[in-house]
Amino acid sequence: MVSPKGEISKEVADAAKMCFQCGTCTAGCPSGRRTSYRVRKIVRMAQLGLKEEIINSDELWECSTCYTCVERCPRQVPIVDIIIDLRNIAVAEGHMRPQHKGTATNLVKYGHTVDVKDNISKLRVELGLPEVPPTVLANEAAKADLDKILKATGFCKIVQE
Amino acid sequence: MAKYAFFLGCIAPLRYPGIEKSTREVCAALGIELVDLKDASCCPAPGVIRAFNKKTWLAAAARNLALAEQQGLPIVTICNGCYGSLFDAAHELAEDPELLAEVNKILAEIGMEYKGTTKVHHFAEVLYNEVGVEKIKAAVKKPLDYQVAAFYGCHFLKPSEIKQVDNPENPHILDDLIEATGAKSMPRKQKTLCCGAGGGLKAAFGDVAKKFTETNLENMKASGAQFIIDVCPFCHLQFDGVQKDLGYNIPVLHLSQLLGLAMGMDEKQLAFSTHITPVKL
Ligand code: SF4
Ligand code: SF4
């Protein structure tokens, strides 16, 4: 498991090494077609260990994780895994967008990524569904278990920072 | 009778309860028994939570997988994001005993253990592989004559090396399921283009996400589609939510809602009232 310690992990660096910079990934990337994001460049920067440049860039967050590049890469570079690991490093070093912090806060608060709305709860009853979905929302002990996991893995810290 | 632990996720139960309701009804009609996966949490979301902290993502996913394992049931999800997270986490944990041991140290703190045996399925894949198109055709009470756009999304099919659901560049199973209702799935350009919402794009770069959606809407409109049929509440939310701004007006239904309609569920039960783009039948 990657535990971001501030450096690009050996796993990510090794995975990136497989890349021979053909650009197939960028050519089929729907985000690259619409923004200045170039996935080939991110992989190159990872090869070169340019950590600061990567974690300070908006581009790192412009991938929709659609996996098109992974499907087409002739070197089987695990591109999305690399991006995920790099994002983990960025977050561990305090680079997180407020909107993403909002999503993370929802997880801590509700155990779900979105909040509970009254009109939906009412509609659930009308549909014959339990008003509260039978998830952690309906069981405090289960929510407490999830909270322990979030705490033990350092997630709550991300939200507080 | 096939039996599954029903994993609700977040967007369906908390934004589109009609998707949850129609899934329950359709499964009952087709002889699939759904047992609520009680006490489950967010999967957690593969493009955001996993991107923030992989350890949290894996341990919380393992907790969900362990809840199903305790019941001895495979999981079924109605969301590509949940499918992506739970399938990928189950795969990683089944392949890597060291990782599993590491995760179990965390689960031990809440008195749980994951043995690594839970299988994860997507609703559409269960319908295609377990139930079959012929049985669905036989259950249709009100054949539909709409022209529709099949939207597969990404994590239903990819990474295809581990998912092996269908051809990721040229899939057909959703088209086949749609056509079982009598509706016609219209061919169009860039059928597998991402909706744009994933990977935290919707939250942080909504305008970029919208550009993905816009290309999809252009192609759908050009194909003559009267409805968009998805298999993911998050793609659903994206298509449903941004159309007005972009000047489009194509109603969005989850596959479960389309099937519910064809099997005779009334509009109220399908809860179209929560849809942002009005659903006119
Ligand atoms: S497609 Fe693969 S090998 Fe080619 S540039 Fe992208 S990551 Fe490198
Ligand atoms: S997964 Fe990300 S980098 Fe790869 S093609 Fe999709 S948006 Fe581009």
Side-chain angles (χ1 to χ4, degrees):
Chain A
M1 200 184 303
V2 178
S3 38
K5 282 187 225 73
E7 285 314 308
I8 293 177
S9 72
K10 193 175 168 317
E11 282 166 62
V12 173
D14 283 351
K17 261 185 211 149
M18 297 295 296
C19 166
F20 58 9
Q21 291 288 298
C22 68
T24 303
C25 49
T26 290
C29 172
S31 192
R33 211 162 248 277
R34 293 164 178 83
T35 65
S36 60
Y37 170 63
R38 298 292 175 262
V39 53
R40 179 197 56 77
K41 211 173 121 197
I42 297 264
V43 178
R44 181 67 181 145
M45 283 156 79
Q47 284 179 330
L48 296 173
L50 299 175
K51 191 195 84 181
E52 287 305 320
E53 283 84 342
I54 298 173
I55 66 173
N56 280 299
S57 72
D58 270 352
E59 278 86 356
L60 182 58
W61 296 93
E62 286 181 341
C63 164
S64 74
T65 70
C66 76
Y67 284 94
T68 305
C69 55
V70 176
E71 293 290 333
R72 296 179 187 172
C73 170
R75 299 281 286 171
Q76 275 98 46
V77 176
I79 303 168
V80 171
D81 293 347
I82 292 174
I83 288 166
I84 295 287
D85 282 359
L86 292 167
R87 287 182 177 183
N88 271 231
I89 298 171
V91 168
E93 300 206 7
H95 300 275
M96 197 176 183
R97 284 180 173 61
Q99 301 94 325
H100 287 156
K101 216 166 255 192
T103 308
T105 305
N106 279 340
L107 182 68
V108 172
K109 200 163 160 195
Y110 301 103
H112 288 282
T113 45
V114 294
D115 59 1
V116 177
K117 286 194 192 304
D118 286 346
N119 63 326
I120 302 286
S121 302
K122 207 174 133 236
L123 183 60
R124 291 184 59 84
V125 177
E126 286 168 21
L127 293 173
L129 298 170
E131 178 177 350
V132 179
T135 65
V136 282
L137 286 169
N139 182 346
E140 274 176 32
K143 176 61 171 54
D145 280 353
L146 177 70
D147 292 347
K148 277 185 202 156
I149 290 178
L150 299 183
K151 213 161 169 203
T153 55
F155 195 79
C156 299
K157 256 195 353 235
I158 300 177
V159 174
Q160 282 151 12
E161 265 163 24
Chain B
M1 190 158 163
K3 196 169 165 182
Y4 292 89
F6 184 21
F7 185 84
L8 286 175
C10 302
I11 309 287
L14 298 172
R15 291 293 180 270
Y16 294 104
I19 298 178
E20 176 183 340
K21 177 71 180 176
S22 54
T23 301
R24 293 180 187 278
E25 298 276 326
V26 165
C27 284
L30 294 172
I32 301 169
E33 188 181 345
L34 297 181
V35 180
D36 286 333
L37 187 61
K38 288 210 178 89
D39 301 341
S41 65
C42 173
C43 51
V48 278
I49 307 303
R50 181 172 59 149
F52 305 156
N53 187 329
K54 232 176 137 180
K55 219 178 194 174
T56 303
W57 170 77
L58 193 61
R63 178 180 167 276
N64 288 326
L65 294 167
L67 289 170
E69 191 174 63
Q70 285 169 359
Q71 298 193 38
L73 291 174
I75 285 177
V76 67
T77 86
I78 44 177
C79 169
N80 289 1
C82 301
Y83 185 52
S85 262
L86 296 172
F87 189 101
D88 291 4
H91 180 79
E92 279 186 36
L93 292 169
E95 296 278 297
D96 186 343
E98 267 176 46
L99 192 61
L100 182 62
E102 214 179 308
V103 161
N104 271 323
K105 267 191 222 149
I106 302 167
L107 292 183
E109 291 189 27
I110 55 170
M112 280 179 93
E113 189 197 353
Y114 178 54
K115 296 189 180 70
T117 63
T118 301
K119 296 271 178 280
V120 181
H121 297 273
H122 189 292
F123 170 70
E125 174 242 328
V126 167
L127 289 183
Y128 192 82
N129 293 323
E130 183 96 22
V131 178
V133 168
E134 289 312 313
K135 203 172 157 195
I136 295 170
K137 271 187 195 161
V140 169
K141 293 199 184 106
K142 216 182 88 188
L144 307 174
D145 62 358
Y146 305 126
Q147 297 188 344
V148 309
F151 190 79
Y152 286 80
C154 301
H155 297 196
F156 177 44
L157 305 171
K158 298 179 275 191
S160 63
E161 196 192 344
I162 59 169
K163 294 262 165 58
Q164 302 197 344
V165 169
D166 200 348
N167 180 339
E169 304 271 2
N170 189 19
H172 66 89
I173 75 173
L174 177 57
D175 301 79
D176 295 355
L177 289 168
I178 286 170
E179 300 211 329
T181 67
K184 186 163 169 34
S185 181
M186 305 303 285
R188 69 172 192 279
K189 283 197 291 190
Q190 291 179 280
K191 196 168 153 186
T192 56
L193 171 64
C194 172
C195 73
L201 263 192
K202 184 183 177 62
F205 298 98
D207 287 345
V208 177
K210 245 191 221 173
K211 287 185 188 161
F212 286 54
T213 322
E214 188 170 24
T215 310
N216 275 304
L217 289 165
E218 264 166 38
N219 292 333
M220 288 163 167
K221 193 170 181 195
S223 79
Q226 300 163 277
F227 291 90
I228 299 166
I229 311 302
D230 62 79
V231 289
C232 171
F234 202 54
C235 304
H236 186 100
L237 176 64
Q238 178 66 9
F239 276 107
D240 189 29
V242 305
Q243 281 198 60
K244 206 170 156 207
D245 280 359
L246 293 170
Y248 287 87
N249 197 9
I250 314 174
V252 186
L253 307 189
H254 188 276
L255 175 66
S256 63
Q257 292 173 302
L258 183 81
L259 292 172
L261 205 57
M263 290 179 186
M265 281 178 75
D266 71 38
E267 278 179 54
K268 231 176 162 183
Q269 292 283 294
L270 296 165
F272 292 145
S273 60
T274 62
H275 291 220
I276 302 156
T277 305
V279 180
K280 292 192 201 90
L281 298 174

